[in-house]
Amino acid sequence: PVGLAGSGDMFVVSLRLAAPALLLALLVDVCLALIGRVAQQIDLSILGLTLKGSLAVAVLLATLAAVLGNFAAEAEGVLARIRALIAGA
C-alpha cells in the first residue's frame, strides 16, 4: 500500500513528541509513591492528578515550542530550495 510508506516515520516522530511527557508522568508517579511510603497520612491521589496534569501540559507546550522552531527552520530551507528551482527554470 502506498499510504503506509511513511507510517514508521510518523510513529517515531509521535513517540519523540510524547516521550518527555511520558517520562515526566513516570517520574512524578515514582516520587509520589516514595512520598506515600514515607508519609502515609497524606492523600496523594488528588495531588498526583493535579501535579501530573499541570506538569504534562507544561512539558507538552515546551516540546511544541521546540518542534515549531525546528519546523520553521525546515520550512525556510524548503522555500529557499523552491525559489532556487524556480529561478533556475
Side-chain angles (χ1 to χ4, degrees), residues 2 6-7 15 20 26 30 41 47 51 66 69 71 78 82 86:
V2 177
S7 62
L15 193 59
L26 179 67
V30 169
Q41 298 86 3
L47 177 65
L51 187 61
F71 178 76
V78 169
I82 290 173
I86 291 173

Side-chain angles (χ1 to χ4, degrees), residues 16-27 52 55-57 59-60 63:
R16 285 184 180 176
L17 287 174
L22 290 173
L23 290 175
L24 180 69
L26 179 67
L27 182 65
K52 283 195 322 187
L55 289 176
V57 167
V59 167
L60 287 176
T63 304

Side-chain angles (χ1 to χ4, degrees), residues 1-88:
V2 177
L4 294 178
S7 62
D9 293 335
M10 287 190 308
F11 180 74
V12 170
V13 169
S14 64
L15 193 59
R16 285 184 180 176
L17 287 174
L22 290 173
L23 290 175
L24 180 69
L26 179 67
L27 182 65
V28 168
D29 279 340
V30 169
C31 289
L32 288 174
L34 292 175
I35 291 171
R37 282 294 215 183
V38 172
Q40 295 177 357
Q41 298 86 3
I42 300 174
D43 183 24
L44 296 176
S45 60
I46 300 299
L47 177 65
L49 288 175
T50 305
L51 187 61
K52 283 195 322 187
S54 302
L55 289 176
V57 167
V59 167
L60 287 176
L61 287 176
T63 304
L64 182 63
V67 167
L68 288 179
N70 290 339
F71 178 76
E74 288 292 324
E76 288 176 13
V78 169
L79 287 175
R81 283 186 239 139
I82 290 173
R83 287 186 190 121
L85 286 173
I86 291 173

